[in-house]
Every structure is written in structure tokens, then in C-alpha cells.
């Protein structure tokens, strides 16, 4: 793990590189994504199946795209009962947290004027669940549960096809939370199918969930045609640690995030150069024997940096500049720093709050903004699945009270039809 101190000439350049880490797709990626989107918009299912064969090496027939109820029922026979119980436990925890996020319809009155807002769920949501290098039943729960809490009627899941059946853990997780439809398609073609609709897959109103650079680019390019949650990925963790932090815990937490994929990014900010060196050594030791050792090793080699600063105030300032997806405060009295942290997707406070607890069973959502976008994006929540419409009601007498300033403002902006629409109520 690279270690830089404030005395090093490279401190600011290394920090600048981390702060600007947000990946923007190159011209070649965007060109490829655009061509797939256009093909699916024009060709529907034929294009989806063609790209599925090309990229996923799976030949599907149109009537095999949707997962059947029988396949979902059979999935339960391929997992142990205690594994199903664990998924249900996690679902209960996630549901309990997200039920507290509900936004209510409200109104108030000023004389005979009624103002307010009405909250309604979107009609249909598409949940993208990545495949490939790992299996993510937890992401099924995290994306689908807040949709169900919000009252979304149609929750659709897409996930890349396998040579055999879809992973049973994904199917069981989807069934537990009440996903309406499951389709065995992935990649850009799946996002395009959800956005435009095809013969087999009716379109949705919003697409949520993480994916690779191609999926993220597709979501970005389709924003406007369909709603999206955020541009998420690759995974990242920043640990802020004082000199009393346990280096073995810090190393373990950094590896927890590094094992996601080779592009995962992990950072440490500490007031102790000794701690930074200890953490670096322990990472090398703890890597050995991990199931995903090669993946985590590459992520650490490519994207890990430890910044050594003089004070905790400077550490928090650097953390705010980085605006990490996951931020751990392994410090004494972590709540003292809570209001000073302005930018982070999720915060893990204290010595005994590993990020993994929130990945699975704590309850808060683990779909979080990455690449510094925590400066303006939030964690996935129930609010991502609802729309807020304003309510306005005036009586004639109340309209008369505001008629003159209304007309004056309309004339200032050069919109005389606006003025006449109000005046017509009194002619």
C-alpha cells in the first residue's frame, strides 16, 4: 500500500489523483454503448438476444428470456434452509430501516389557500443485479425492498444469464421480497430493454442498481428516457484512523472492499505513520489464503493509498475532498466528528462497525454513490422510488389578493398570456 505523508512532495498530486478518480467512459466505450442502445430500440428482442449471445455466450430463445415460477420454486431446493433464513433475516432488517424513510403527503392552509405535496410511487422499476465475478443476493434485497416499501407495483429484475440456471440465491432473494418479473439478460442490452421496452419486456420508469462501466454508461445515456438512481461503481472505502486504531481491523476492512473487483479503490487517512506502515504489512499477510486473493491484490496494488496527516481536523478535511462511497471513522468519540463530515455515501462509526455489517444485515442501503459523487448523490432509499407533486388550490377571493403582484411579474418576464389567464377570472 502506497504511503504518503504531508512532508512528501507527492502528497498533493496523490490526493488530486484520488479526488478526481470518478470514471468517465472513454469515447470507445460510449460509442459501443450508443450502438447497442440504438439497436435494441429498433430491433427489440432480436437485438437483445443477439447481444446476449455475443457478450454472454448464451443462446436464448424469446420464450426463455423470462424466468418461470417453476424455476423460482426449484431454486429453494438448491439452497440450505439456514441460508434461506439468513436471507429472510436480512430482508427484515432492511425493510425495518427503509420503512422509516417513507415520505408522506401533506397539506396546509393559509386562509382559503391550500398548499402541499402528494407523494406517489413510480409505476415500474427495473433492478439491475450484476453477475460475472460474484453473486449478489444482497443487492437484490437492497434494490427491491425500498421499491416495495414505497409502493411500486411492478418490480422487474434483470441479471446476466449463465450457461445453466440462474444462481438460486438470486432467485430466492427476489422471491422473498416480491419481485414481479425476472429476466435472464444483462449488460447494456438489458438496460436498453428496460428503458425502451421490447416484445418480451415491458418498459419501466426507473432503473436502479450497480453495474460495470458499460452498464453505468448506458444508464447515464438513457437518463431522461428513463429515471436512474445514480452512477455506482467501482467499490471504494476510506478509513480515517487515529493512532489508537487496531491496524489488523483497518487492514481487514480495506481488504473487505478490495475483494469486490480489480478496480475497487481503498484509502487510509491517519495521524500515525506507524499505523499506516503496520496496516500495509498486515494487508500483505491477510491477503494470503483469501478466496479472491488475486482480485484483492490487484486492487490494492493499483488503487490503494495511505495519507498521513498531522491532526484529525486535517484528516476529516481530506476525507471531505475524497467524498468516498464508504467512510469508516476508527477513532475515539466518532460522533464528535459526525457533523464535520460533509461528503460520504455511508458512515461507519467506531472501532466495531465493519462495513460488512451494513453490506448485509444492518438495514441501511448498500447501493451508494462512488467516484466522488457523494458530493451530490445520496444512498439508495425509498425516496428514489417515489415522485412528489405539488398541490395548489385558490378560491376567487384569495386569487384576488395576489392578482396584482402576479400580473406585474408576468409583465416583467414578457408573458402577457400569463397575466391574462389570471385576469380572465375577474372579467
Amino acid at each position: 500500500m502506497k504511503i504518503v505523508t504531508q512532508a512528501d512532495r507527492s502528497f498533493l498530486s496523490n490526493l488530486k489523483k484520488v479526488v478526481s478518480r470518478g470514471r468517465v467512459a472513454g469515447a470507445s466505450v460510449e460509442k459501443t454503448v450508443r450502438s447497442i442502445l440504438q439497436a435494441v430500440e429498433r430491433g427489440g428482442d432480436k437485438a437483445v438476444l443477439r447481444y446476449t449471445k455475443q457478450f454472454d455466450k448464451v443462446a436464448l430463445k424469446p420464450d426463455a428470456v423470462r424466468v418461470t415460477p417453476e424455476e423460482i420454486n426449484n431454486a429453494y431446493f438448491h439452497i440450505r434452509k439456514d441460508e434461506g433464513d439468513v436471507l429472510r433475516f436480512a430482508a427484515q432488517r432492511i425493510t425495518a430501516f427503509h420503512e422509516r424513510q417513507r415520505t408522506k403527503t401533506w397539506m396546509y392552509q393559509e386562509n382559503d389557500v391550500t398548499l402541499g405535496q402528494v407523494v406517489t410511487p413510480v409505476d415500474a422499476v427495473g433492478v439491475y443485479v450484476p453477475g460475472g465475478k460474484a453473486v449478489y443476493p444482497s443487492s437484490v434485497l437492497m434494490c427491491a425492498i425500498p421499491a416495495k416499501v414505497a409502493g411500486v407495483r411492478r418490480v422487474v429484475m434483470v441479471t446476466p444469464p449463465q450457461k445453466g440456471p440462474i444462481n438460486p440465491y438470486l432467485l430466492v432473494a427476489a422471491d422473498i421480497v416480491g419481485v414481479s418479473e425476472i429476466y435472464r439478460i444483462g449488460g447494456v442490452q438489458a438496460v436498453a430493454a428496460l428503458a425502451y421496452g421490447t416484445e418480451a419486456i415491458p418498459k419501466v420508469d426507473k432503473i436502479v442498481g450497480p453495474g460495470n462501466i458499460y452498464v453505468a454508461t448506458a444508464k447515464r445515456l438513457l437518463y431522461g428516457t428513463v429515471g436512474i438512481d445514480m452512477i455506482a461503481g467501482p467499490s471504494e472505502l476510506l478509513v480515517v484512523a487515529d493512532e489508537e486504531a487496531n491496524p489488523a481491523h483497518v487492514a481487514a476492512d480495506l481488504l473487505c472492499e478490495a475483494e469486490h473487483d480489480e478496480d475497487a479503490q481503498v484509502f487510509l487517512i491517519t495521524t500515525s505513520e506507524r499505523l499506516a506502515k503496520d496496516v500495509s504489512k498486515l494487508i500483505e499477510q491477510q491477503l494470503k489464503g483469501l478466496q479472491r486473493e488475486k482480485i484483492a491484490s490487484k486492487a490494492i496494488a493499483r488503487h490503494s493509498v495511505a495519507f498521513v496527516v498531522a491532526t484529525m481536523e486535517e484528516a476529516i478535511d481530506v476525507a471531505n475532498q475524497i467524498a468516498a462511497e464508504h467512510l469508516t471513522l476508527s477513532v475515539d468519540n466518532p460522533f464528535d466528528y459526525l457533523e464535520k463530515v460533509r461528503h460520504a455515501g455511508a458512515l461507519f462509526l467506531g472501532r466495531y462497525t465493519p462495513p460488512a455489517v451494513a453490506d448485509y444485515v444492518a438495514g441501511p442501503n448498500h447501493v451508494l454513490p462512488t467516484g466522488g459523487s457523494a458530493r451530490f448523490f445520496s444512498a439508495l432509499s425509498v425516496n428514489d422510488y417515489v415522485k412528489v407533486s405539488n398541490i395548489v388550490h385558490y378560491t376567487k377571493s384569495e386569487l384576488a389578493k395576489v392578482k396584482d403582484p402576479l400580473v406585474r411579474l408576468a409583465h416583467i418576464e414578457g408573458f402577457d398570456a400569463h397575466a391574462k389567464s389570471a385576469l380572465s377570472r375577474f372579467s
Side-chain angles (χ1 to χ4, degrees):
M1 188 177 197
K2 181 190 295 184
I3 300 173
V4 292
T5 70
Q6 284 179 311
D8 296 332
R9 290 183 178 181
S10 63
F11 184 90
L12 290 178
S13 61
N14 276 283
L15 178 57
K16 183 178 180 180
K17 183 179 179 181
V18 171
V19 170
S20 61
R21 69 195 178 282
R23 291 197 303 172
V24 177
S28 61
V29 171
E30 188 164 314
K31 182 179 179 181
T32 299
V33 171
R34 286 187 185 278
S35 67
I36 298 171
L37 295 179
Q38 291 171 358
V40 173
E41 184 179 18
R42 295 169 183 167
D45 287 341
K46 289 183 179 179
V48 170
L49 298 179
R50 184 172 72 251
Y51 287 119
T52 298
K53 185 176 182 179
Q54 178 180 343
F55 297 125
D56 297 313
K57 311 304 180 186
V58 176
L60 293 175
K61 295 181 180 180
D63 59 357
V65 171
R66 183 168 178 173
V67 175
T68 65
E70 291 75 22
E71 290 176 272
I72 297 171
N73 291 334
N74 287 337
Y76 282 90
F77 295 102
H78 291 84
I79 71 170
R80 298 195 306 267
K81 180 183 180 299
D82 62 314
E83 293 172 330
D85 292 341
V86 165
L87 288 171
R88 291 185 185 89
F89 173 76
Q92 290 167 0
R93 299 286 298 158
I94 297 164
T95 300
F97 178 86
H98 287 83
E99 282 179 341
R100 293 175 177 268
Q101 293 181 329
R102 282 195 177 109
T103 303
K104 298 180 179 179
T105 294
W106 53 264
M107 289 179 282
Y108 69 95
Q109 284 192 303
E110 295 176 341
N111 299 319
D112 286 333
V113 175
T114 301
L115 304 172
Q117 66 177 32
V118 59
V119 179
T120 55
V122 299
D123 288 338
V125 167
V127 173
Y128 188 93
V129 180
K133 297 179 180 178
V135 179
Y136 295 103
S138 60
S139 290
V140 178
L141 304 181
M142 292 290 182
C143 290
I145 286 174
K148 301 299 288 187
V149 170
V152 177
R153 295 177 182 176
R154 180 171 169 253
V155 180
V156 182
M157 184 178 109
V158 295
T159 190
Q162 310 298 318
K163 293 291 176 65
I166 289 179
N167 185 280
Y169 297 106
L170 298 183
L171 296 183
V172 171
D175 189 54
I176 287 173
V177 299
V179 169
S180 312
E181 305 154 34
I182 305 172
Y183 297 95
R184 58 181 103 246
I185 55 170
V188 175
Q189 62 270 24
V191 179
L194 292 172
Y196 297 125
T198 68
E199 300 88 338
I201 307 171
K203 66 176 295 186
V204 301
D205 300 308
K206 192 163 191 174
I207 300 173
V208 304
N212 62 21
I213 187 61
Y214 290 90
V215 169
T217 302
K219 288 172 65 178
R220 176 171 59 83
L221 294 177
L222 285 167
Y223 178 66
T225 299
V226 69
I228 65 170
D229 51 349
M230 66 189 83
I231 307 299
S235 299
E236 56 190 42
L237 168 66
L238 167 60
V239 177
V240 173
D242 59 20
E243 57 275 7
E244 300 300 321
N246 187 319
H249 296 171
V250 174
D253 287 352
L254 294 172
L255 286 174
C256 167
E257 210 62 36
E259 73 173 349
H260 273 283
D261 60 57
E262 293 90 342
D263 291 320
Q265 307 193 34
V266 294
F267 314 110
L268 169 65
I269 306 173
T270 180
T271 52
S272 168
E273 186 172 1
R274 177 195 56 78
L275 179 81
K277 292 178 179 178
D278 288 345
V279 168
S280 182
K281 292 177 182 177
L282 285 165
I283 285 175
E284 295 300 318
Q285 294 176 19
Q286 294 181 18
L287 267 169
K288 297 175 182 177
L290 288 178
Q291 285 185 327
R292 299 167 70 82
E293 179 181 347
K294 290 183 179 179
I295 291 173
S297 295
K298 288 181 180 178
I300 293 293
R302 293 174 181 175
H303 305 297
S304 66
V305 185
F307 296 97
V308 181
V309 297
T311 67
M312 282 303 302
E313 287 69 24
E314 290 173 313
I316 297 298
D317 178 64
V318 173
N320 281 322
Q321 292 182 58
I322 293 174
E325 176 189 19
H326 304 92
L327 172 61
T328 291
L329 297 183
S330 184
V331 299
D332 286 331
N333 305 312
F335 285 92
D336 291 348
Y337 299 96
L338 188 57
E339 292 186 359
K340 297 178 181 178
V341 176
R342 300 192 309 277
H343 309 304
L347 290 88
F348 308 96
L349 306 181
R351 314 286 193 196
Y352 293 94
T353 313
V357 74
D359 279 342
Y360 297 120
V361 296
N365 212 288
H366 77 200
V367 179
L368 303 166
T370 61
S373 63
R375 290 190 297 272
F376 46 83
F377 274 132
S378 305
L380 189 68
S381 74
V382 171
N383 294 327
D384 286 293
Y385 300 88
V386 299
K387 304 171 281 91
V388 177
S389 302
N390 293 332
I391 299 169
V392 184
H393 172 262
Y394 271 74
T395 63
K396 184 175 182 179
S397 61
E398 291 298 326
L399 180 61
K401 295 177 184 179
V402 299
K403 172 173 60 70
D404 290 344
L406 185 162
V407 170
R408 178 63 63 86
L409 282 169
H411 286 152
I412 287 173
E413 295 192 349
F415 291 119
D416 61 334
H418 282 59
K420 290 179 179 178
S421 73
L423 292 172
S424 68
R425 267 70 177 175
F426 302 96
S427 60

